Amino acid sequence: MMSQMPQPTALSRCPSCEEPLDAADRFCGACGYDLSTVSAPPDHPTIAMNGASAGLPPAAPSVDWPLAQQAAGTATPAPVHRAADIQGTDSGGSELPHPEHTEHSEHAEHPEHPEQAEHAQGGDPAGIRPPAARRTAGQPSGVRFDRPSEPDEYPLAPPAGGADREALADPRTGDLPAPPAGAKVCVACRSGQVDTDGYCENCGHAQPRERDHMEQELDAVAAVSDRGLRHHRNEDAFAVSSTALPDGSPAVVAIVCDGVSSATRPDEASLAASHAANESLLAALPLGTHPQQAMHEAIVAASEAVNALAGPSTAQGEHAPHANAPACTIVGALVTSTLLIVGWVGDSRVYWIPVDRSSLPARLTEDDSWAAQMVAAGLMNEAEAYADERAHAITGWLGADAYELEPHTVSFKPDRPGVVVVCTDGLWNYAETAEEMAEIVPLDAAERPLHAAQVLVGHALDGGGHDNVTVTVMPFPAPSQGAVSA
């Protein structure tokens, strides 16, 4: 008997390694699997998820759908049965309320739509309700329809009084009511009131922030501070005030602080320092404290106020608890009827400008800076030092990370009238020497200190405004009318 040769099997893939096969293959070319041992595929090759052959699905139980009742007459269509008419249960197993009573009673009592009433009477030849009639407030549906029915169009009501559109005033050109007394007026249109969010109610113009430009004038001192043209905020601050000494003579105070931009929250530091120093002087001078001692104590109070802004940090360990703390410089001037007291830490300055310009002006402070140290050590002259890129690196400031607080205080007794200019480097960068400063101070600065301060700030802005600029102008001697506290 001849041996039976294995017959090729019609497999598309090897049952062992899933290698694609040809129809004439007897062995798998990848793993050598004997394909003749594989039984022929069944008639129904569909495989169930558990590996068993899946037969035909069992017949689904029939649903006893309700039959439509035929009407007696052929003109009346058969009623439509909806799924909501059939009793059932929700996903939680509770019975669904039958809509029979709520729906029919609503339609009977409140025929809001004429077409609904017509359908209820069997007058719709199509026998199908429109969507508005199918969904009612009482119909249980799983989707809430709490909004009342709305019309497709909303007609616009005519203007009150029947006035023509052309007769109505254009709100952009009509006369605006005057802002109430004391309200802030827009800097752009000069007519609209500024809302609490900082925008004009008339033209919508965003108003400058409060510290972007500040001006203050008393009888014996004036101050102006501006953000400048390059910085995104004003980190300078000032405080001006006047009081009386125990003998009744006047004392006028000007404090100017410049925030250190490389520190955190420099604007807060300068504001806190200026307020603290001013309050300290106003508290000490009426008690008879010597003005120079009062100035020293004011700088110490300002330093403590800035130190209080620093939070502890463990970034550099317990030995450096105030990394990059808020910091600022400070300079102050105190004018009485006979004395001029100056105090500072940092590189803000005080200049003396005589009313008689034939007399020489003078710079009354020495910078706590790299340039000043080079000049003091004789390593550079002033022009060379201030031309260096390290010139404005300060060596003294107020702040928790300052090396050591060393307030400078000096007392002068000028023998002639003049004006005292207290300023940040935002101004003196454009007029460094006393002679240059005297050239830009108006001749009538003693009579018009606010105008003089505005001119000096304008000079810095015209020069480029690279930094915040703050200036105070104080006439010397202090006029008697300046003894009113502010």
Side-chain angles (χ1 to χ4, degrees):
M1 179 182 290
M2 295 180 63
S3 63
Q4 186 177 357
M5 297 295 294
Q7 299 296 318
T9 180
L11 295 177
S12 61
R13 290 182 178 275
C14 174
S16 174
C17 65
E18 295 295 328
E19 177 72 14
L21 303 174
D22 292 333
D25 287 344
R26 295 187 179 89
F27 296 93
C28 176
C31 65
Y33 188 87
D34 186 2
L35 302 177
S36 63
T37 61
V38 181
S39 60
D43 294 338
H44 304 285
T46 304
I47 306 299
M49 293 300 294
N50 58 4
S53 298
L56 294 176
S62 61
V63 179
D64 188 13
W65 295 103
L67 299 176
Q69 299 178 0
Q70 299 294 331
T74 58
T76 304
V80 176
H81 289 266
R82 295 163 289 132
D85 295 332
I86 304 174
Q87 290 282 33
T89 59
D90 59 15
S91 60
S94 303
E95 282 194 14
L96 296 174
H98 200 280
E100 177 182 358
H101 303 290
T102 57
E103 182 175 355
H104 294 304
S105 62
E106 277 197 17
H107 287 180
E109 297 176 6
H110 304 286
E112 298 179 358
H113 302 283
E115 65 270 20
Q116 292 183 9
E118 182 178 356
H119 298 321
Q121 297 173 3
D124 187 354
I128 301 175
R129 290 183 177 182
R134 294 190 207 135
R135 186 74 66 189
T136 63
Q139 179 176 339
S141 68
V143 178
R144 294 191 53 163
F145 292 88
D146 295 339
R147 297 180 60 186
S149 58
E150 299 177 353
D152 294 335
E153 296 181 357
Y154 294 87
L156 297 177
D164 296 335
R165 289 179 184 267
E166 292 76 13
L168 296 176
D170 188 341
R172 297 169 298 178
T173 59
D175 293 336
L176 295 173
K184 189 175 181 180
V185 179
C186 175
V187 299
C189 67
R190 295 293 182 181
S191 58
Q193 180 178 349
V194 178
D195 204 348
T196 54
D197 60 357
Y199 289 84
C200 175
E201 295 179 348
N202 175 37
C203 67
H205 188 88
Q207 305 301 296
R209 288 172 292 187
E210 182 180 1
R211 291 182 65 175
D212 283 356
H213 185 88
M214 300 179 290
E215 296 185 2
Q216 187 176 356
E217 181 181 25
L218 303 180
D219 292 335
V221 61
V224 177
S225 181
D226 193 271
R227 184 184 66 181
L229 305 179
R230 303 295 181 88
H231 284 212
H232 71 283
R233 65 180 175 184
N234 190 359
E235 297 171 356
D236 289 355
F238 68 82
V240 293
S241 61
S242 59
T243 186
L245 299 177
D247 60 0
S249 61
V252 182
V253 175
I255 302 294
V256 170
C257 296
D258 184 356
V260 178
S261 296
S262 60
T264 59
R265 293 150 43 213
D267 53 332
E268 296 181 28
S270 62
L271 188 64
S274 60
H275 286 178
N278 184 64
E279 292 173 1
S280 176
L281 285 167
L282 291 180
L285 292 173
L287 300 179
T289 305
H290 190 278
Q292 189 167 353
Q293 178 63 27
M295 180 63 73
H296 179 93
E297 294 174 357
I299 295 176
V300 173
S303 176
E304 294 173 351
V306 178
N307 291 348
L309 297 177
S313 172
T314 58
Q316 300 180 17
E318 60 181 4
H319 299 295
H322 302 294
N324 199 27
C328 69
T329 67
I330 186 171
V331 64
L334 168 62
V335 170
T336 70
S337 56
T338 58
L339 288 177
L340 168 57
I341 309 297
V342 175
W344 75 96
V345 173
D347 62 348
S348 293
R349 295 180 175 180
V350 177
Y351 290 87
W352 164 257
I353 312 296
V355 170
D356 181 6
R357 297 303 172 87
S358 61
S359 301
L360 294 177
R363 194 180 91 194
L364 306 181
T365 58
E366 293 294 336
D367 300 340
D368 288 326
S369 67
W370 179 91
Q373 285 188 345
M374 294 299 102
V375 174
L379 300 177
M380 293 182 179
N381 60 39
E382 190 167 347
E384 294 172 341
Y386 282 99
D388 193 283
E389 62 181 7
R390 297 165 291 181
H392 291 279
I394 57 176
T395 58
W397 63 89
L398 305 184
D401 57 355
Y403 300 119
E404 185 177 356
L405 179 62
E406 296 181 358
H408 310 285
T409 58
V410 184
S411 178
F412 301 94
K413 289 186 177 181
D415 58 355
R416 64 200 66 191
V419 292
V420 180
V421 176
V422 185
C423 64
T424 62
D425 59 347
L427 172 62
W428 66 253
N429 277 332
Y430 301 99
E432 290 192 14
T433 67
E435 290 74 19
E436 291 173 337
M437 186 64 69
E439 289 179 2
I440 63 174
V441 173
L443 297 177
D444 60 351
E447 290 77 27
R448 302 171 63 193
L450 177 59
H451 173 259
Q454 292 169 338
V455 169
L456 295 176
V457 170
H459 176 81
L461 299 180
D462 291 342
H466 288 75
D467 198 357
N468 308 143
V469 52
T470 302
V471 181
T472 68
V473 177
M474 310 168 65
F476 179 87
S480 58
Q481 62 265 28
V484 179
S485 179

